[in-house]
Amino acid sequence: MSTPDVVMSDTSLAAVELPNGDRRLFFQDDSGFIRQATFSSSTKEWTADPGYVVASDARNRTPIAAVTTPKKGDTAIDGLPEIPAGVAIFYVNQNHSLASLQLAQGSWKTPTTLGDFFVNISHFTAAPESRQLAVSAEGNATQFNAILFYESLDNDITMLNGTFYNKSFSTAEPLTISTWSWENVTGNLIGARSNKSDVFAPPFATAHTAFGEAFFLAKDQSGSYSGNEILTYFSSGSIGKQQQEDHGISPGDYRLIYLLEAQSTILTPGAIQSSIQDSDLLVLDQNLSPGEEGLDQFSYSYFWVNGTELSPYSVPITTMPSAPFPFKRLAGFSPAAGKKFVLYHQLNGTALGEEMYDASVGGWVSNKITITK
C-alpha cells in the first residue's frame, strides 16, 4: 500500500537557521496548512510533528518567506520581559493579503500590537496567483529593519521598507503604532545601469545576510528576459562610509537603495525564458573569510530548477546534486560557519530534500526529510 501524500504538490518552502544551530523548514501540507520540520543541532535529527500547524489561513501554494528575529525586551532597562531570538514567517492568506506570524515563547502569533515586529503587513494585497515573496531583515536590541518584495495586484514588483523598534524607551518624540509600519518604496527600483530600459521581473530573491540585498531577473521592453542580467540592490545601511559618500546616501538610511552593476550569466535568453520564469530563484552566499572582522568577502551562487534538474546561474561550482528536482520551489541559507550552504526542495508528496554543499570538500551531501500525517 502506498503512503498517502502529505506535502502539497509544488509547495513553496522557506528555511532558517537559529543562532544555536537549530533549523526550521516551512512548507504547505495537502490541507493547505503551513507546517514546519525542525532540525536539532544537538541530536542531528529532523522531526515534523503531524499535529503542529503554524498557519491555517494560507491560500493554496502561497509563497513563504522566513527570517530570524532578535530578542525583545530587557527587564533591567525597560521593564519588559525578555523574549529570546525567534523566527517570523510571511505568506499570502486566503484573502490574498500579506500575512506574518512571529514565534514568541513557543507559540505563533500575529503581530498586531505596538512593539511587535512586522505589524500592519496585512494592509497590502498580493496578486492571486503569485508564487513570489522575499524578505530581508536585520537589526539589534534597539531597532529592526526589513525590506520585503512581492507581486501586487497589477503584477508589478512592490518593495516595502519596515522599521520596528525593539523596545520602549524615552525619546523626545514619543513612539506610536505608526512607528512600527511599512512604507511603499517601490520608486527606488530603477532600470538596470547597463540598460536603462530593462525592468525588474520575477523570480526574485533576497540573500540571507545582514546586507539587505535583493536580486531580480531583468526583462527588456518586449517583455522577454534579458540573457545577461541579474539586477542587484543593496540597502544603504550595508555599505561602507566611502560608498555612502560616493552615492550621496546617509548612513543607516534603509530607504535609499542604489544599483550595483548587473552580473553576467552564461545563459541565452531562450534558456531563461523556457525555464527560470516558472521556477524560484535562490541566492546563497559563502563567507570566504568568516570570523575575520572587517574582512568578510562573500561569493554568491544563484540557482533555479530547469526541468527536473538544479541549474546554476553564474555559480563557481562544477557539480550539482544528484537528487531529482521534480518541483520548482527552492529554499536555503548559508550556515554561520561559512563556506557552506544548504538548499531545500520537494522530492514527492511525503518527503523534502536537503542538499548541503561544503566548499572545503567541493561536494554535496544529500538528505531526505520524511513528512508524515
Side-chain angles (χ1 to χ4, degrees):
M1 181 180 296
S2 62
T3 303
D5 288 351
V6 179
V7 182
M8 180 174 288
S9 178
D10 202 32
T11 176
S12 292
L13 301 167
V16 294
E17 182 180 59
L18 298 176
N20 65 358
D22 290 352
R23 299 172 182 175
R24 294 180 183 269
L25 174 59
F26 300 94
F27 63 94
Q28 202 167 19
D29 69 13
D30 60 348
S31 298
F33 297 155
I34 295 178
R35 291 175 52 187
Q36 67 175 355
T38 60
F39 174 81
S40 169
S41 58
S42 59
T43 66
K44 309 299 181 185
E45 293 182 350
W46 282 94
T47 59
D49 182 349
Y52 190 96
V53 173
V54 176
S56 59
D57 62 341
R59 71 159 170 81
N60 286 348
R61 295 179 178 82
T62 173
I64 308 173
V67 297
T68 56
T69 58
K71 74 172 186 177
K72 294 182 64 177
D74 189 324
T75 304
I77 296 177
D78 53 25
L80 299 177
E82 180 176 313
I83 299 175
V87 180
I89 67 165
F90 299 82
Y91 59 98
V92 179
N93 66 23
Q94 294 168 6
N95 295 323
H96 307 299
S97 297
L98 297 185
S100 179
L101 291 173
Q102 181 181 337
L103 181 62
Q105 297 177 304
S107 62
W108 292 90
K109 60 170 292 188
T110 300
T112 57
T113 60
L114 186 68
D116 284 343
F117 295 136
F118 314 125
V119 71
N120 295 334
I121 194 64
S122 61
H123 295 174
F124 303 93
T125 304
E129 303 300 323
S130 173
R131 300 301 305 268
Q132 299 292 308
L133 178 63
V135 182
S136 176
E138 62 93 12
N140 52 39
T142 302
Q143 184 173 323
F144 199 52
N145 301 280
I147 52 173
L148 180 149
F149 303 87
Y150 72 100
E151 289 183 281
S152 57
L153 289 173
D154 56 7
N155 292 310
D156 287 337
I157 297 175
T158 297
M159 175 182 176
L160 304 179
N161 178 91
T163 300
F164 308 91
Y165 290 93
N166 206 355
K167 57 186 178 180
S168 60
F169 50 89
S170 299
T171 64
E173 183 178 350
L175 301 176
T176 65
I177 193 66
S178 63
T179 309
W180 283 263
S181 62
W182 297 89
E183 180 182 3
N184 187 330
V185 291
T186 308
N188 287 326
L189 298 181
I190 59 175
R193 180 174 294 167
S194 58
N195 187 342
K196 295 294 185 182
S197 64
D198 280 0
V199 297
F200 292 101
F204 49 84
T206 55
H208 283 251
T209 70
F211 291 92
E213 295 146 300
F215 303 84
F216 307 79
L217 268 291
K219 280 187 176 180
D220 60 26
Q221 288 182 314
S222 71
S224 298
Y225 283 95
S226 300
N228 63 348
E229 290 185 324
I230 275 188
L231 309 182
T232 310
Y233 273 74
F234 277 56
S235 71
S236 64
S238 71
I239 63 176
K241 181 178 180 180
Q242 186 60 52
Q243 290 172 302
Q244 291 174 355
E245 294 176 354
D246 292 344
H247 293 275
I249 296 173
S250 300
D253 187 349
Y254 289 85
R255 301 182 182 186
L256 290 175
I257 307 297
Y258 81 94
L259 179 67
L260 294 184
E261 292 291 350
Q263 304 192 23
S264 64
T265 88
I266 59 174
L267 297 173
T268 64
I272 296 178
Q273 191 77 34
S274 63
S275 60
I276 202 170
Q277 63 180 348
D278 296 321
S279 171
D280 281 349
L281 173 67
L282 178 64
V283 181
L284 298 174
D285 63 88
Q286 296 177 60
N287 190 344
L288 302 181
S289 56
E292 301 178 34
E293 186 174 357
L295 297 177
D296 284 1
Q297 297 181 16
F298 292 91
S299 172
Y300 293 100
S301 298
Y302 312 90
F303 300 94
W304 88 100
V305 179
N306 183 7
T308 59
E309 296 180 350
L310 185 69
S311 292
Y313 195 101
S314 295
V315 178
I317 299 173
T318 58
T319 61
M320 289 291 108
S322 59
F325 282 73
F327 302 95
K328 305 295 187 182
R329 306 304 136 203
L330 299 170
F333 57 81
S334 301
K339 296 189 178 181
K340 301 177 182 179
F341 48 69
V342 185
L343 183 153
Y344 297 95
H345 60 111
Q346 182 180 0
L347 291 171
N348 51 48
T350 61
L352 305 174
E354 180 182 53
E355 314 295 336
M356 295 171 284
Y357 181 81
D358 188 339
S360 64
V361 299
W364 296 85
V365 176
S366 297
N367 181 36
K368 183 171 74 172
I369 305 168
T370 302
I371 308 298
T372 61
K373 282 190 178 292

